[in-house]
Amino acid sequence: MTQLKFDQDGLVPVIIQDSETKQVLTLAYANQEAIDKTMENGETWLYSRSRQELWNKGATSGNTQKVISVKADCDADAVIYEVIPNGPACHTGEQSCFNETIYGESKTSAGDMLEELKVLIRNRQSEMPEGAYTTYLFEEGIDKICKKVGEEAAEVIIAAKNRDAEELSMETADLFYHVMVLLQEQGVDLDKVMAVLKERHQTKTTSK
């Protein structure tokens, strides 16, 4: 195993990254004990420089993180925890601590956009705000949702046959949305769908 190079305080910076979306969630620090505990129990352990003690992410807030992998950089003086987050990573309630753009224009990736939409739909089902279209779909139930998925799929086909790029973009967006409502209604997380795509891709790549 790679021997990590700790600084004069016995620490290495830790980048915590969502294993599915690859979004950077936060930057923290860990000593050897925190790294060891992370790899032993698969939970995020770090070292607080302000409190001068180990801490288990989510122990008090409930926003735990399941660690999928720990990676060292080429110089072995920094690591990445790839995690599955159970709630926001930032103490402000934001998904990521890196949410303020101070230069340039931040581009939202397709994965980030789908993740945001997933959370929005999940919240709509939980809160059922009056007047919201998503609330209406959940109230109408599975038959209505399936009907809308079918209708939007047909609209995508028509747009493609018409070779109308703008129409195709809009109808595909509508289809994505209604499929994600269907997934939420069925209790199937988007991550499961992405995992199937990833497995199929890896299988095809390996078989070449």
Side-chain angles (χ1 to χ4, degrees):
M1 186 175 70
T2 300
Q3 191 69 34
L4 294 175
K5 300 174 185 175
F6 296 91
D7 65 15
Q8 64 271 19
D9 297 317
L11 303 174
V12 291
V14 179
I15 298 168
I16 300 178
Q17 181 182 47
D18 189 304
S19 65
E20 294 295 331
T21 67
K22 304 307 178 185
Q23 180 184 30
V24 175
L25 302 178
T26 193
L27 171 66
Y29 291 85
N31 59 9
Q32 184 66 66
E33 185 178 1
I35 297 286
D36 291 342
K37 289 178 76 68
T38 295
M39 293 191 294
E40 284 170 9
N41 59 33
E43 295 181 354
T44 296
W45 281 87
L46 301 162
Y47 185 85
S48 171
R49 294 178 298 170
S50 59
R51 300 193 305 271
Q52 296 285 296
E53 64 180 13
L54 290 177
W55 63 287
N56 180 204
K57 172 65 178 173
T60 55
S61 67
N63 299 324
T64 56
Q65 296 171 344
K66 179 181 179 181
V67 179
I68 302 303
S69 69
V70 177
K71 298 180 179 178
D73 76 343
C74 57
D75 294 320
D77 58 2
V79 299
I80 293 177
Y81 288 179
E82 287 196 328
V83 307
I84 298 176
N86 178 33
C90 185
H91 71 281
T92 63
E94 294 287 343
Q95 187 69 18
S96 168
C97 292
F98 296 95
N99 50 56
E100 183 178 352
T101 302
I102 60 175
Y103 174 77
E105 191 172 324
S106 180
K107 183 179 179 181
T108 302
S109 69
D112 290 343
M113 187 67 253
L114 288 175
E115 187 68 24
E116 289 178 18
L117 181 58
K118 180 184 79 170
V119 172
L120 175 63
I121 292 172
R122 182 178 64 203
N123 290 342
R124 285 286 192 271
Q125 186 187 41
S126 174
E127 299 165 5
M128 298 291 276
E130 186 177 351
Y133 177 64
T134 310
T135 298
Y136 161 75
L137 289 175
F138 284 127
E139 287 177 340
E140 289 296 306
I142 186 62
D143 288 344
K144 181 66 174 181
I145 296 171
C146 286
K147 181 181 178 182
K148 290 300 297 182
V149 170
E151 290 174 355
E152 298 302 341
E155 294 292 339
V156 168
I157 294 170
I158 293 170
K161 293 288 285 183
N162 290 338
R163 296 196 176 279
D164 188 326
E166 184 174 355
E167 182 184 1
L168 180 59
S169 297
M170 291 189 294
E171 296 300 345
T172 301
D174 288 343
L175 178 59
F176 279 11
Y177 161 77
H178 285 92
V179 167
M180 291 185 68
V181 171
L182 177 63
L183 290 174
Q184 181 63 36
E185 196 279 340
Q186 294 285 297
V188 177
D189 196 285
L190 179 63
D191 291 345
K192 291 185 179 180
V193 179
M194 302 307 289
V196 172
L197 289 173
K198 183 177 180 180
E199 182 180 358
R200 289 177 180 176
H201 172 71
Q202 289 176 335
T203 300
K204 289 182 179 180
T205 302
T206 304
S207 62
K208 287 183 178 180

